[in-house]
Amino acid sequence: MNFVQANLNMNTMNPFPLALTRAVSPLLGDCELTHIEREPINIRLAEQQHHDYEQALEQMGYTVRRLPEAPHLPDGVFVEDTAVVFPEVAVITRPGAESRRPETETMAEALHEYRELHFISEPGTMDGGDVLVLGKSVYAGLSQRTNTDVVHQLADILKPFGYSLSGVPVTGCLHLKTGIAQIGPDLLLINPEWIDEGLFPEYHCEVIHSDEPYGANVMVHGNIALCPDAFPHTIEWLQKRGFDVLTIDQSEMKKAEAGLTCCSVIVE
Ligand code: GLY
């Protein structure tokens, strides 16, 4: 496998948990956009910010492995949308934007090493950013990228392992996980303008600060949380809950309509 090992201190005997990433394409400025206007993207800065992101993942305890570069694929850095990994299997997506479909090939090659693979097929379309897994409950965001056919396909794939599937309408943002994250066993962080908190009655839903509509897309691993530095209210809230909070600048990824989770696939 043609990985670049980004982690200098990794334990080669046990690389898990892994974070799979991919380098920023020089064509990132031509990425897909759905809800925001196009602005110029500074590619050098985007590369630096992605490097900082990978270093933060290492600080959180992940071994970072880079997929083969795909400079011809503008959105290729947003690997989350190409696969969803469960303890038992991995599901390779069929991204909603046609330009993004070739991104799945190298992800499938990489995940083949770790999991039995299943593939979303036509007419299903699905971006991994639309799939939230809360224990044995799987929520598929019904967005402009992910359709209802996928709910049935995922249900069939995951039923033998005891998972249940629900479709969740997503309005006003790109993906389900743009507006919701699991912070603790019973705690979600959510933007109720985009996602209906009433669909998660078993959880306490903390509403993001109104100045930070994208604040819900944070990453948590153990006692460490990763949050863009543009969200001070969210950072303060996480700190008050006892997390050590790592922060990074994501200004260029934000212009590409992406957040923290978009830039990695986690394999536990
Ligand atoms: N630029 C991120 C996406 O549209 O998929």
PDB file of all heavy atoms in Angstrom, residues 186-200:
ATOM      1  N   ASP A 186     -23.969  10.698  26.480  1.00  0.00           N
ATOM      2  CA  ASP A 186     -25.364  11.150  26.391  1.00  0.00           C
ATOM      3  C   ASP A 186     -25.468  12.584  25.879  1.00  0.00           C
ATOM      4  O   ASP A 186     -26.491  13.234  26.089  1.00  0.00           O
ATOM      5  CB  ASP A 186     -26.024  11.095  27.788  1.00  0.00           C
ATOM      6  CG  ASP A 186     -25.864   9.734  28.428  1.00  0.00           C
ATOM      7  OD1 ASP A 186     -26.121   8.733  27.727  1.00  0.00           O
ATOM      8  OD2 ASP A 186     -25.442   9.676  29.597  1.00  0.00           O
ATOM      9  N   LEU A 187     -24.435  13.074  25.263  1.00  0.00           N
ATOM     10  CA  LEU A 187     -24.369  14.513  24.962  1.00  0.00           C
ATOM     11  C   LEU A 187     -24.028  14.767  23.492  1.00  0.00           C
ATOM     12  O   LEU A 187     -23.019  14.260  22.981  1.00  0.00           O
ATOM     13  CB  LEU A 187     -23.287  15.154  25.850  1.00  0.00           C
ATOM     14  CG  LEU A 187     -23.027  16.640  25.654  1.00  0.00           C
ATOM     15  CD1 LEU A 187     -24.272  17.468  25.989  1.00  0.00           C
ATOM     16  CD2 LEU A 187     -21.851  17.082  26.535  1.00  0.00           C
ATOM     17  N   LEU A 188     -24.887  15.566  22.840  1.00  0.00           N
ATOM     18  CA  LEU A 188     -24.639  15.983  21.465  1.00  0.00           C
ATOM     19  C   LEU A 188     -24.491  17.500  21.424  1.00  0.00           C
ATOM     20  O   LEU A 188     -25.121  18.213  22.213  1.00  0.00           O
ATOM     21  CB  LEU A 188     -25.805  15.582  20.553  1.00  0.00           C
ATOM     22  CG  LEU A 188     -26.216  14.108  20.548  1.00  0.00           C
ATOM     23  CD1 LEU A 188     -27.440  13.907  19.646  1.00  0.00           C
ATOM     24  CD2 LEU A 188     -25.060  13.231  20.071  1.00  0.00           C
ATOM     25  N   LEU A 189     -23.690  17.989  20.495  1.00  0.00           N
ATOM     26  CA  LEU A 189     -23.600  19.423  20.213  1.00  0.00           C
ATOM     27  C   LEU A 189     -24.288  19.615  18.865  1.00  0.00           C
ATOM     28  O   LEU A 189     -23.970  18.896  17.896  1.00  0.00           O
ATOM     29  CB  LEU A 189     -22.130  19.833  20.164  1.00  0.00           C
ATOM     30  CG  LEU A 189     -21.797  21.315  19.995  1.00  0.00           C
ATOM     31  CD1 LEU A 189     -22.397  22.153  21.114  1.00  0.00           C
ATOM     32  CD2 LEU A 189     -20.258  21.497  19.977  1.00  0.00           C
ATOM     33  N   ILE A 190     -25.213  20.571  18.778  1.00  0.00           N
ATOM     34  CA  ILE A 190     -26.085  20.596  17.599  1.00  0.00           C
ATOM     35  C   ILE A 190     -26.429  22.023  17.187  1.00  0.00           C
ATOM     36  O   ILE A 190     -26.504  22.931  18.026  1.00  0.00           O
ATOM     37  CB  ILE A 190     -27.382  19.793  17.918  1.00  0.00           C
ATOM     38  CG1 ILE A 190     -28.220  19.539  16.668  1.00  0.00           C
ATOM     39  CG2 ILE A 190     -28.209  20.467  19.000  1.00  0.00           C
ATOM     40  CD1 ILE A 190     -29.290  18.462  16.868  1.00  0.00           C
ATOM     41  N   ASN A 191     -26.619  22.212  15.898  1.00  0.00           N
ATOM     42  CA  ASN A 191     -27.192  23.456  15.364  1.00  0.00           C
ATOM     43  C   ASN A 191     -28.640  23.141  14.962  1.00  0.00           C
ATOM     44  O   ASN A 191     -28.887  22.519  13.925  1.00  0.00           O
ATOM     45  CB  ASN A 191     -26.411  23.950  14.152  1.00  0.00           C
ATOM     46  CG  ASN A 191     -27.000  25.243  13.612  1.00  0.00           C
ATOM     47  OD1 ASN A 191     -28.182  25.542  13.841  1.00  0.00           O
ATOM     48  ND2 ASN A 191     -26.183  26.008  12.900  1.00  0.00           N
ATOM     49  N   PRO A 192     -29.610  23.577  15.786  1.00  0.00           N
ATOM     50  CA  PRO A 192     -31.007  23.191  15.536  1.00  0.00           C
ATOM     51  C   PRO A 192     -31.620  23.891  14.328  1.00  0.00           C
ATOM     52  O   PRO A 192     -32.720  23.529  13.901  1.00  0.00           O
ATOM     53  CB  PRO A 192     -31.717  23.591  16.835  1.00  0.00           C
ATOM     54  CG  PRO A 192     -30.856  24.632  17.450  1.00  0.00           C
ATOM     55  CD  PRO A 192     -29.447  24.385  16.999  1.00  0.00           C
ATOM     56  N   GLU A 193     -30.909  24.894  13.781  1.00  0.00           N
ATOM     57  CA  GLU A 193     -31.391  25.522  12.537  1.00  0.00           C
ATOM     58  C   GLU A 193     -31.288  24.540  11.369  1.00  0.00           C
ATOM     59  O   GLU A 193     -31.985  24.653  10.372  1.00  0.00           O
ATOM     60  CB  GLU A 193     -30.542  26.756  12.195  1.00  0.00           C
ATOM     61  CG  GLU A 193     -30.562  27.866  13.237  1.00  0.00           C
ATOM     62  CD  GLU A 193     -31.887  28.607  13.223  1.00  0.00           C
ATOM     63  OE1 GLU A 193     -32.392  28.875  12.127  1.00  0.00           O
ATOM     64  OE2 GLU A 193     -32.409  28.879  14.323  1.00  0.00           O
ATOM     65  N   TRP A 194     -30.339  23.617  11.475  1.00  0.00           N
ATOM     66  CA  TRP A 194     -30.049  22.696  10.374  1.00  0.00           C
ATOM     67  C   TRP A 194     -30.534  21.264  10.634  1.00  0.00           C
ATOM     68  O   TRP A 194     -30.880  20.540   9.694  1.00  0.00           O
ATOM     69  CB  TRP A 194     -28.542  22.667  10.105  1.00  0.00           C
ATOM     70  CG  TRP A 194     -27.971  23.964   9.628  1.00  0.00           C
ATOM     71  CD1 TRP A 194     -28.653  24.964   8.988  1.00  0.00           C
ATOM     72  CD2 TRP A 194     -26.612  24.410   9.737  1.00  0.00           C
ATOM     73  NE1 TRP A 194     -27.792  25.994   8.695  1.00  0.00           N
ATOM     74  CE2 TRP A 194     -26.534  25.679   9.128  1.00  0.00           C
ATOM     75  CE3 TRP A 194     -25.444  23.846  10.270  1.00  0.00           C
ATOM     76  CZ2 TRP A 194     -25.338  26.409   9.057  1.00  0.00           C
ATOM     77  CZ3 TRP A 194     -24.253  24.560  10.193  1.00  0.00           C
ATOM     78  CH2 TRP A 194     -24.211  25.821   9.589  1.00  0.00           C
ATOM     79  N   ILE A 195     -30.479  20.865  11.916  1.00  0.00           N
ATOM     80  CA  ILE A 195     -30.820  19.482  12.289  1.00  0.00           C
ATOM     81  C   ILE A 195     -31.865  19.548  13.402  1.00  0.00           C
ATOM     82  O   ILE A 195     -31.685  20.301  14.369  1.00  0.00           O
ATOM     83  CB  ILE A 195     -29.580  18.723  12.847  1.00  0.00           C
ATOM     84  CG1 ILE A 195     -28.309  18.965  12.011  1.00  0.00           C
ATOM     85  CG2 ILE A 195     -29.888  17.236  13.020  1.00  0.00           C
ATOM     86  CD1 ILE A 195     -28.315  18.399  10.632  1.00  0.00           C
ATOM     87  N   ASP A 196     -32.902  18.728  13.310  1.00  0.00           N
ATOM     88  CA  ASP A 196     -33.975  18.728  14.302  1.00  0.00           C
ATOM     89  C   ASP A 196     -33.527  17.970  15.554  1.00  0.00           C
ATOM     90  O   ASP A 196     -33.390  16.744  15.533  1.00  0.00           O
ATOM     91  CB  ASP A 196     -35.212  18.067  13.681  1.00  0.00           C
ATOM     92  CG  ASP A 196     -36.381  18.006  14.652  1.00  0.00           C
ATOM     93  OD1 ASP A 196     -36.253  18.490  15.797  1.00  0.00           O
ATOM     94  OD2 ASP A 196     -37.421  17.459  14.239  1.00  0.00           O
ATOM     95  N   GLU A 197     -33.334  18.716  16.643  1.00  0.00           N
ATOM     96  CA  GLU A 197     -32.854  18.069  17.871  1.00  0.00           C
ATOM     97  C   GLU A 197     -33.889  17.089  18.433  1.00  0.00           C
ATOM     98  O   GLU A 197     -33.539  16.162  19.179  1.00  0.00           O
ATOM     99  CB  GLU A 197     -32.453  19.103  18.925  1.00  0.00           C
ATOM    100  CG  GLU A 197     -33.539  20.085  19.283  1.00  0.00           C
ATOM    101  CD  GLU A 197     -33.042  21.197  20.197  1.00  0.00           C
ATOM    102  OE1 GLU A 197     -32.442  20.904  21.230  1.00  0.00           O
ATOM    103  OE2 GLU A 197     -33.296  22.376  19.865  1.00  0.00           O
ATOM    104  N   GLY A 198     -35.161  17.274  18.054  1.00  0.00           N
ATOM    105  CA  GLY A 198     -36.202  16.367  18.528  1.00  0.00           C
ATOM    106  C   GLY A 198     -36.016  14.935  18.042  1.00  0.00           C
ATOM    107  O   GLY A 198     -36.630  14.005  18.574  1.00  0.00           O
ATOM    108  N   LEU A 199     -35.162  14.731  17.045  1.00  0.00           N
ATOM    109  CA  LEU A 199     -34.907  13.377  16.530  1.00  0.00           C
ATOM    110  C   LEU A 199     -33.933  12.597  17.413  1.00  0.00           C
ATOM    111  O   LEU A 199     -33.656  11.427  17.149  1.00  0.00           O
ATOM    112  CB  LEU A 199     -34.366  13.454  15.099  1.00  0.00           C
ATOM    113  CG  LEU A 199     -35.333  14.072  14.087  1.00  0.00           C
ATOM    114  CD1 LEU A 199     -34.657  14.241  12.730  1.00  0.00           C
ATOM    115  CD2 LEU A 199     -36.577  13.203  13.947  1.00  0.00           C
ATOM    116  N   PHE A 200     -33.400  13.278  18.448  1.00  0.00           N
ATOM    117  CA  PHE A 200     -32.412  12.624  19.311  1.00  0.00           C
ATOM    118  C   PHE A 200     -32.860  12.715  20.777  1.00  0.00           C
ATOM    119  O   PHE A 200     -32.148  13.262  21.627  1.00  0.00           O
ATOM    120  CB  PHE A 200     -31.034  13.281  19.115  1.00  0.00           C
ATOM    121  CG  PHE A 200     -30.562  13.242  17.694  1.00  0.00           C
ATOM    122  CD1 PHE A 200     -30.827  14.298  16.825  1.00  0.00           C
ATOM    123  CD2 PHE A 200     -29.883  12.132  17.202  1.00  0.00           C
ATOM    124  CE1 PHE A 200     -30.418  14.256  15.502  1.00  0.00           C
ATOM    125  CE2 PHE A 200     -29.473  12.079  15.879  1.00  0.00           C
ATOM    126  CZ  PHE A 200     -29.736  13.138  15.026  1.00  0.00           C
TER     127      PHE A 200
END
